[in-house]
Amino acid sequence: EERAVAVIGAEINIADASVYPASIELHNKAVNMIASLWHAPEPKNGDDYCGAGTVGSTEACLLAGLALKFRWRKWYAERHGLSEIEVLAVRPNLVISSAFQAAWEKLFRYFDVEAKVVKPSLVKGKMAVDAKALVSLCDEKTIAVVYGRFPR
């Protein structure tokens, strides 16, 4: 009986909005809460915020990295008077601890983002990254500083 139930469950994609239309509403609520948490600009006409839900941390890291890269690319092109084509030749960077999650390696390798890595050190018995070291690696090609919480 358990196998039969498992087989039935394996055939159902609970993320399929055409089968479960309420999942769209749940997704939009989650995106709206996160956007409000981060003080995102209000959407026009009272619409929902735009956002993408992910089912895993790798997917989330990659989508976040691409969003940061595309936003930076627009800013950088305007700042330097570059066309959409010209700015493609400029490689952005991301400042990150050497203890980063493996998904970021994929972003660096496959999406042409340079990693600027800071090694954590032991401070009062805990792993920490020096904020001044992070800031010293930032420049106008930096799309973000990624912080990963170290285990206690």
Side-chain angles (χ1 to χ4, degrees):
E1 182 180 357
E2 293 89 6
R3 288 179 193 259
V5 171
V7 168
I8 292 169
E11 294 174 356
I12 297 171
N13 180 356
I14 62 170
D16 185 347
S18 65
V19 176
Y20 300 98
S23 67
I24 295 171
E25 186 179 332
L26 179 62
H27 170 270
N28 289 344
K29 283 182 180 180
V31 169
N32 287 335
M33 284 189 278
I34 293 168
S36 294
L37 177 69
W38 288 99
H39 306 289
E42 292 287 329
K44 295 180 181 163
N45 304 324
D47 293 336
D48 287 321
Y49 287 93
C50 291
T54 66
V55 294
S57 59
T58 296
E59 184 182 10
C61 291
L62 295 177
L63 286 173
L66 284 176
L68 290 163
K69 181 178 175 180
F70 294 151
R71 178 187 286 177
W72 168 85
R73 189 182 282 163
K74 182 179 177 186
W75 170 85
Y76 192 87
E78 288 174 7
R79 181 177 177 96
H80 293 279
L82 300 174
S83 70
E84 287 183 27
I85 300 298
E86 291 170 322
V87 77
L88 295 177
V90 183
R91 190 172 182 209
N93 67 67
L94 187 139
V95 178
I96 193 165
S97 159
S98 61
F100 61 80
Q101 200 254 26
W104 294 108
E105 184 65 37
K106 292 177 180 147
L107 179 83
F108 305 141
R109 180 174 294 140
Y110 302 122
F111 297 131
D112 294 322
V113 175
E114 177 189 355
K116 288 191 171 183
V117 180
V118 173
K119 291 184 180 179
S121 57
L122 201 57
V123 177
K124 296 182 182 177
K126 295 183 180 181
M127 295 300 289
V129 175
D130 179 30
K132 290 180 183 177
L134 292 172
V135 171
S136 73
L137 292 175
C138 294
D139 58 29
E140 65 177 10
K141 293 181 184 175
T142 302
I143 61 174
V145 175
V146 173
Y147 168 77
R149 184 167 181 242
F150 299 103
R152 293 180 186 221

